[in-house]
Amino acid sequence: MAREARGKKAKRPSYKKVVLSRPGQRDIKLVALGRLLSALGVGTALVSVAHIVGSYWAGESIEQGRWVLPIMAAIVAGAGAFYEIWYGGRAARNEEKRIRHRLLGTVFDSASLPTDEESGLGSGKLITLMTDNAERVTEYRQVYFGATVAAMAIPFVTLAYVAIAIDPVVGLSIMVLCPLIPVLIGAFMSLFRKTSANSRKERGILSGQYLDAIRNLVTIRLLGAGPRTEKHLREQGERNRGAIMKLLAGNQIVIIIMDGLFSLLLICCSAFLTVGRYHAGALDLGEALAVMFLTDLLIEPLVQVAGFFYIGMGGMASERAIGSYLASSSKNNDSTSQGTAITDAGNMAIAARDLEFDYGRGTVLGGIRLDVPRGAKVAIIGRSGAGKSTLLSLLRGSLPLQKGGIAIDGANVNGLGSTEVRKLTASVSQATWLFTGTIADNLRIAAPEATTEEMWEALRKAQVADEIERMAQGIDTYVGEQGVLISGGQAQRISLARALLSGRHILLLDEPTSQVDIESEERIIQAIRELGPEWTLLMVTHRRALLEIADQTWEMKGGVLSPFVTQVGSAQ
């Protein structure tokens, strides 16, 4: 069992390789190179100055040319330090963009968006990954990690030089103390890991609660829940502040112990050994001064300790969170849709066979069979919770297949990735979402290369062109955040125009008239009625007028789909 556990532990993914791009991993080495170059310049300058001072004390004449080496070394040290800071910051910002791009790509390619119940990763935490966590990872890896690795190596390299070029007793004796630095850092990291994890957790909760409050601001105001929401956010903010203060307090403790006590111990030991060897005649004054001056490089790692428990631990925790999400999502995104292939789809635009789906709370769909002929307008009715929206989600690729098969426009869904499935249909939801920008901006989301005439043609088909023409800016009219500057009926028809402009001729409509006024409903129905035979429509609806223009009507009951045979007037 122990051997098996060790084997499993050895196969844990390297989150650095999962999260960081190849340029990002290269940048770590380049930043470390800048730190080493700076230390080389500093060390060379210090040794040169020490020997000059020693020669001067011994009464030797100092040639002016002897100052060239320390001056040049100081310039190299400054250039290395500047390069480390400049390149590290630049690399961090570039890698941050790459990480966000990967996260967004993972979300867009995902077969279904994660929920809190499924993965503990809701929209608030997802935003935290893309903002705060991405920034922390790059600050840790691109700015801090490479410099820290180099800083850990500098004392050993320095003491190896002392042991070889100056005095082996001093060099090897002091080198014994250096391994205590990473050992103490590891011990403190284990001690404060829980504090760091709690700080990250509270920060994620606060981000999610702020996002919920912003998204539901109108509802909060209408219900008079503003003071309660404010109090709740203030309490969570205080918990977040307390978690950060605990982390910073631990950081200060480490700084006091490491930077204060340990550096003092290291300096005292170096001074004691150097003075002793000088009096014993093993070192001349120049060599003794060189060892004492080089003590500055021995405490190089302690400079990095100050940021370890805030930058280091926070960065590692963020890297694990992002890496875990990318690793788990990539398995889903790289795999194709499951299910069975359909061989009897014929000339159907949509064919579904034996569809079953379960969210883990009981069967939602049980053996669905559906045929939608090309050019047909098919309606599905049923009570709320019957499974209508789940069926549409499977057809448009928002949910992965579990059992059964789907063929859309002659293509079997099983064997296709979620992105390919979504390209087969266009959707119009009952809750219209318009992006901040102009009407043209929202239309071009579906067709980036669409011409002005093509956009107007789609708006005419959606029965909204005449209203937009009366607007002062036409299709360049600004719609506001979530389309608040235009009516709900206009927004829904613009959403329909966007679907028509997409170039996909199979439309999935989810209650397209449920949240609009009567006039807008009539115009949407008229737009759907006038669509030609090149368009295939599958509509989920309760509205009688939409049922009247349907070529077929199906009813969903308890996850089972059957032809609707009752009079239209009695539809649910």
Side-chain angles (χ1 to χ4, degrees):
M1 292 295 290
R3 185 179 303 169
E4 182 180 351
R6 286 194 298 269
K8 291 182 178 179
K9 185 176 181 181
K11 294 180 181 180
R12 289 179 61 186
S14 172
Y15 289 126
K16 181 183 76 171
K17 295 181 179 179
V18 172
V19 174
L20 296 184
S21 65
R22 291 198 176 194
Q25 296 181 45
R26 178 206 62 201
D27 291 339
I28 295 174
K29 299 173 184 177
L30 293 177
V31 170
L33 183 62
R35 174 61 68 92
L36 290 174
L37 184 64
S38 176
L40 176 63
V42 170
T44 302
L46 291 175
V47 172
S48 299
V49 170
H51 284 296
I52 291 173
V53 172
S55 298
Y56 177 78
W57 188 266
E60 299 177 8
S61 61
I62 307 299
E63 298 178 2
Q64 191 173 2
R66 292 190 64 180
W67 290 101
V68 173
L69 180 59
I71 291 174
M72 294 300 297
I75 293 174
V76 170
F82 173 80
Y83 171 81
E84 176 196 338
I85 296 171
W86 169 78
Y87 189 81
R90 178 173 174 268
R93 301 291 76 79
N94 290 335
E95 184 65 13
E96 191 176 337
K97 293 176 184 177
R98 288 190 285 264
I99 290 175
R100 286 174 177 164
H101 180 78
R102 286 189 63 196
L103 285 168
L104 282 172
T106 300
V107 173
F108 292 149
D109 293 338
S110 178
S112 59
L113 289 178
T115 63
D116 291 333
E117 292 79 13
E118 291 172 349
S119 63
L121 188 65
S123 56
K125 291 185 179 179
L126 195 56
I127 288 176
T128 301
L129 284 183
M130 295 182 182
T131 53
D132 180 73
N133 286 2
E135 182 178 348
R136 286 175 179 271
V137 167
T138 55
E139 284 294 322
Y140 165 57
R141 284 294 181 183
Q142 271 62 48
V143 176
Y144 182 81
F145 183 76
T148 300
V149 171
M152 291 292 182
I154 287 170
F156 293 96
V157 175
T158 301
L159 291 171
Y161 167 78
V162 171
I164 296 172
I166 300 178
D167 184 56
V169 175
V170 175
L172 296 177
S173 298
I174 301 175
M175 193 179 291
V176 174
L177 296 175
C178 290
L180 290 177
I181 298 176
V183 170
L184 288 174
I185 290 177
F188 281 119
M189 187 176 73
S190 300
L191 184 63
F192 290 105
R193 180 177 286 117
K194 185 176 181 181
T195 303
S196 177
N198 185 60
S199 175
R200 188 179 76 257
K201 174 185 174 183
E202 296 296 341
R203 189 166 55 251
I205 293 173
L206 182 62
S207 298
Q209 291 181 355
Y210 264 110
L211 179 62
D212 283 340
I214 292 171
R215 287 190 301 194
N216 299 287
L217 191 59
V218 174
T219 304
I220 290 171
R221 291 181 63 185
L222 290 175
L223 295 175
R228 295 194 302 274
T229 303
E230 181 183 357
K231 179 182 177 183
H232 186 65
L233 289 173
R234 186 166 56 247
E235 291 173 350
Q236 180 58 40
E238 183 61 26
R239 284 192 288 271
N240 179 57
R241 188 193 67 81
I244 293 175
M245 289 300 102
K246 287 182 180 179
L247 181 62
L248 292 177
N251 193 29
Q252 293 304 309
I253 292 173
V254 174
I255 291 174
I256 292 172
I257 294 176
M258 296 290 291
D259 199 15
L261 299 181
F262 189 78
S263 61
L264 180 62
L265 174 64
L266 192 62
I267 292 171
C268 291
C269 288
S270 300
F272 177 79
L273 286 170
T274 303
V275 171
R277 296 293 287 172
Y278 173 72
H279 285 299
L283 300 175
D284 60 30
L285 181 59
E287 292 173 332
L289 288 174
V291 174
M292 295 300 297
F293 288 171
L294 289 175
T295 304
D296 178 68
L297 294 178
L298 301 185
I299 61 175
E300 187 80 10
L302 301 179
V303 177
Q304 300 298 111
V305 169
F308 182 78
F309 288 90
Y310 190 72
I311 299 176
M313 292 192 70
M316 286 190 292
S318 297
E319 187 174 40
R320 284 194 297 270
I322 295 175
S324 177
Y325 175 70
L326 290 174
S328 61
S329 298
S330 63
K331 296 177 182 178
N332 184 31
N333 298 348
D334 293 340
S335 62
T336 55
S337 296
Q338 301 302 308
T340 56
I342 295 179
T343 57
D344 62 340
N347 194 39
M348 297 296 166
I350 299 174
R353 300 288 183 271
D354 305 318
L355 287 185
E356 296 184 15
F357 197 85
D358 189 340
Y359 290 102
R361 302 182 295 272
T363 301
V364 177
L365 299 180
I368 295 294
R369 182 182 179 89
L370 174 67
D371 286 314
V372 179
R374 294 183 186 276
K377 298 178 177 66
V378 177
I380 298 177
I381 63 173
R383 295 183 179 276
S384 178
K388 306 185 300 300
S389 295
T390 298
L391 175 59
L392 282 188
S393 295
L394 288 170
L395 294 176
R396 64 190 175 205
S398 297
L399 288 174
L401 276 176
Q402 291 180 348
K403 291 184 180 180
I406 295 175
I408 299 176
D409 200 22
N412 273 288
V413 167
N414 73 307
L416 296 179
S418 56
T419 302
E420 286 72 23
V421 175
R422 290 167 192 162
K423 292 178 180 178
L424 300 174
T425 62
S427 298
V428 178
S429 302
Q430 56 181 317
T432 302
W433 181 275
L434 294 184
F435 294 87
T436 302
T438 66
I439 294 172
D441 292 335
N442 277 276
L443 292 175
R444 287 196 176 100
I445 290 173
E449 305 301 326
T451 65
T452 301
E453 181 52 40
E454 287 171 338
M455 288 189 284
W456 278 113
E457 179 61 24
L459 293 170
R460 281 191 285 271
K461 288 181 179 179
Q463 298 285 322
V464 71
D466 56 339
E467 297 175 32
I468 294 175
E469 286 173 343
R470 291 194 294 270
M471 298 178 183
Q473 303 297 322
I475 60 173
D476 293 320
T477 299
Y478 183 72
V479 300
E481 187 176 348
Q482 299 183 33
V484 296
L485 299 182
I486 60 176
S487 71
Q490 290 170 336
Q492 187 71 329
R493 281 174 283 158
I494 291 172
S495 179
L496 176 59
R498 186 165 59 191
L500 297 175
L501 192 63
S502 68
R504 306 166 191 176
H505 285 74
I506 299 176
L507 303 183
L508 305 178
L509 311 181
D510 188 1
E511 299 284 6
T513 62
S514 65
Q515 298 186 22
V516 299
D517 56 78
I518 295 177
E519 180 182 355
S520 294
E521 179 184 20
E522 291 175 352
R523 302 200 69 171
I524 291 172
I525 292 172
Q526 183 65 23
I528 294 173
R529 179 184 286 112
E530 293 179 358
L531 290 177
E534 71 273 20
W535 299 94
T536 302
L537 275 73
L538 181 61
M539 307 173 287
V540 167
T541 184
H542 292 101
R543 300 296 181 116
R544 176 189 298 184
L546 273 176
L547 295 181
E548 289 174 349
I549 66 173
D551 302 316
Q552 301 176 18
T553 301
W554 296 75
E555 184 176 19
M556 183 81 78
K557 281 186 177 180
V560 178
L561 195 64
S562 58
F564 184 60
V565 296
T566 313
Q567 294 295 321
V568 171
S570 64
Q572 297 293 337

